[in-house]
Amino acid sequence: MNNQKTALILDAGFASLPLQQAVKTAGFRTLVCSGKAHDAGMLTADITCEQNYADSEAVLKIAQQHKVAALLPGVTDVSYLSGCRVAHSLGLPGFDAPDVSDRIFLKDKFRAWALSKGLPVPQAAWTDEQARQLNLPLLVKPVDAYSGNGITKVTDWAMLDAAIETARNASPGKQYVVENFCEGALYSHSAFIRNGEIVCEFFVDEYCTVYPWQVNSSSLSQNLSPDMRDSVSECMQSIVSDLRLVDGLLHTQFIASEDQFWLIELTRRCPGDLYSRLIELSTGVNYAGWFVAPFLGKSSPAVPRRPVQTRNIARHTVSVNRAMRFTGFAFKSLPADLIEVIPLTRPGTLVQPAPGDRAGLIFAEFRDDAALRQMTPHLKDYFLLNTYEGHSDA
């Protein structure tokens, strides 16, 4: 008789594959749930279930039917929000309580809570009338969408109504938030929590060079000062303590200028586009393994608070600014070694403009820190698509 325990993963997209492998390595049978039968994870899991995991009642029935010993989110907000409700019902580890999760994940709830706590976030509004009390320029966002969908920068009051409508249409709950636009560079902070304390953290430089609200190039940070890192870390620790977050990952996007920063978005699911692989290649840290550990009832190992960068790795997501038929990748000369090339579509497929589609992921290694810092913001000019029109194009 096979006594192997089963872990249910609420995601089967390509970016969830490292999580699935980490669960298998930990000795669990993998059951994946996805509404898309052709997702990559459906081909590698031990058991599959074609079901939209946004339906938490349906997920609860699946978990009970298979007597799962663990439940994990993938790389989508919905996977965590749905999973936390099921885990709460079944008493499974790794998730915050649903009310805490909503406060972190839903942009309107987080902005309101953060402002009440005096945290560094953009000033926000939730109605047309409130928005007009803010100063231009503004960003209008859906409160519950992702990948930059439905976001508009408003530079003139005549744009506001259309921007709100765009955000509503991109929001499953038809809700939006308006906030001041903050000038600065984009970064992420990925922190692992144990017993209420941040025990390991990473800072990443992020660039949006094809679509302005979707990251497509990144590397371990070459730009943030030590003082700014400390300030961000102290702020995130205060949030961990205030919300009494359970063990696991807290991943944050923030904007920083020379002397101040603003929190933009927090999440407790694994970041997408193989962010875990970027950290692993750059530092040797098993990010995916650490992420899954609390959901499996395990602890992550003791490590340095800020692991040292050992390789100069950049990650680039190949996307386009106009629809085109994909036939392959074209690489211009670059002072780097290609480490991994991961296609995300098939030849002949019509690739839609970002943020709709991604054609592939590329990891490249540069000879030194200076080359990594200089070239990462320009990777879109070196990794292109071949198209049926017979030329290469970004």
Side-chain angles (χ1 to χ4, degrees):
M1 181 177 179
N2 187 349
N3 293 321
Q4 190 178 29
K5 294 179 179 180
T6 299
L8 170 57
I9 306 172
L10 302 184
D11 193 354
F14 81 95
S16 71
L17 292 178
L19 309 183
Q20 189 180 140
Q21 183 57 53
V23 171
K24 287 176 179 284
T25 300
F28 285 73
R29 177 192 299 110
T30 55
L31 162 63
V32 298
C33 179
S34 173
K36 300 176 182 177
H38 300 295
D39 270 350
M42 301 289 266
L43 301 175
T44 57
D46 298 310
I47 313 168
T48 63
C49 182
E50 189 176 344
Q51 168 64 51
N52 182 350
Y53 52 72
D55 185 342
S56 59
E57 290 299 321
V59 171
L60 177 60
K61 291 178 181 178
I62 292 168
Q64 292 171 329
Q65 175 188 348
H66 290 271
K67 298 181 173 61
V68 302
L71 175 68
L72 298 91
V75 304
T76 67
D77 289 353
V78 173
S79 69
Y80 192 99
L81 290 170
S82 180
C84 76
R85 285 158 170 79
V86 176
H88 186 69
S89 297
L90 297 178
L92 295 175
F95 289 89
D96 294 311
D99 62 321
V100 174
S101 299
D102 288 348
R103 185 172 295 170
I104 291 172
F105 280 81
L106 301 181
K107 295 179 180 67
D108 56 341
K109 290 182 181 294
F110 174 71
R111 287 289 185 276
W113 177 79
L115 288 167
S116 75
K117 294 291 183 178
L119 294 170
V121 294
Q123 289 294 309
W126 293 273
T127 68
D128 179 285
E129 293 78 11
Q130 292 173 349
R132 293 181 186 276
Q133 303 305 309
L134 301 176
N135 295 321
L136 294 172
L138 305 172
L139 284 184
V140 183
K141 304 176 177 180
V143 303
D144 48 5
Y146 56 94
S147 294
N149 286 296
I151 298 178
T152 303
K153 182 179 179 181
V154 173
T155 57
D156 186 290
W157 291 115
M159 301 170 61
L160 182 61
D161 289 343
I164 289 174
E165 186 65 19
T166 296
R168 283 187 189 276
N169 289 338
S171 165
K174 302 302 179 185
Q175 300 295 315
Y176 68 93
V177 62
V178 182
E179 61 189 34
N180 281 124
F181 178 79
C182 298
E183 293 283 355
L186 182 64
Y187 303 91
S188 62
H189 174 252
S190 239
F192 287 97
I193 303 162
R194 188 189 302 139
N195 298 324
E197 299 290 332
I198 293 175
V199 295
C200 183
E201 61 189 345
F202 306 90
F203 294 89
V204 170
D205 296 335
E206 301 195 330
Y207 302 96
C208 307
T209 60
V210 173
Y211 180 75
W213 321 117
Q214 183 182 60
V215 174
N216 62 317
S217 298
S218 55
S219 69
L220 246 62
S221 184
Q222 310 297 303
N223 300 321
L224 271 179
S225 69
D227 287 346
M228 183 61 74
R229 293 176 196 235
D230 290 344
S231 296
V232 171
S233 186
E234 290 169 8
C235 176
M236 300 318 298
Q237 179 60 60
S238 73
I239 292 174
V240 170
S241 301
D242 202 317
L243 293 177
R244 298 182 180 180
L245 300 184
V246 300
D247 288 6
L249 177 72
L250 178 62
H251 183 79
T252 306
Q253 280 192 318
F254 65 98
I255 290 173
S257 62
E258 286 190 8
D259 57 359
Q260 63 184 129
F261 68 93
W262 301 269
L263 306 178
I264 302 302
E265 197 168 78
L266 275 64
T267 186
R268 302 221 64 193
R269 47 87 176 169
C270 188
D273 288 342
L274 298 186
Y275 188 101
S276 61
R277 187 65 175 146
L278 172 65
I279 300 300
E280 183 177 7
L281 287 171
S282 299
T283 66
V285 167
N286 182 10
Y287 186 104
W290 290 11
F291 175 79
V292 306
F295 301 101
L296 304 178
K298 301 177 182 293
S299 294
S300 55
V303 293
R305 173 68 178 256
R306 294 179 184 170
V308 174
Q309 176 180 314
T310 56
R311 299 175 69 183
N312 299 305
I313 303 294
R315 174 191 63 160
H316 180 67
T317 304
V318 183
S319 55
V320 293
N321 53 23
R322 62 180 179 84
M324 59 181 65
R325 295 280 177 189
F326 169 72
T327 62
F329 298 108
F331 305 120
K332 290 188 177 180
S333 178
L334 184 72
D337 295 324
L338 293 182
I339 303 300
E340 295 177 3
V341 179
I342 304 161
L344 300 178
T345 191
R346 295 179 296 176
T349 301
L350 182 64
V351 179
Q352 297 295 335
D357 284 337
R358 295 171 299 242
L361 269 172
I362 292 166
F363 293 91
E365 183 170 14
F366 289 83
R367 60 178 176 265
D368 53 39
D369 288 349
L372 181 66
R373 180 185 302 109
Q374 179 185 358
M375 299 306 301
T376 301
H378 305 289
L379 291 177
K380 78 175 183 67
D381 298 326
Y382 292 87
F383 301 128
L384 313 173
L385 293 191
N386 281 333
T387 72
Y388 274 128
E389 288 77 13
H391 62 276
S392 299
D393 204 334

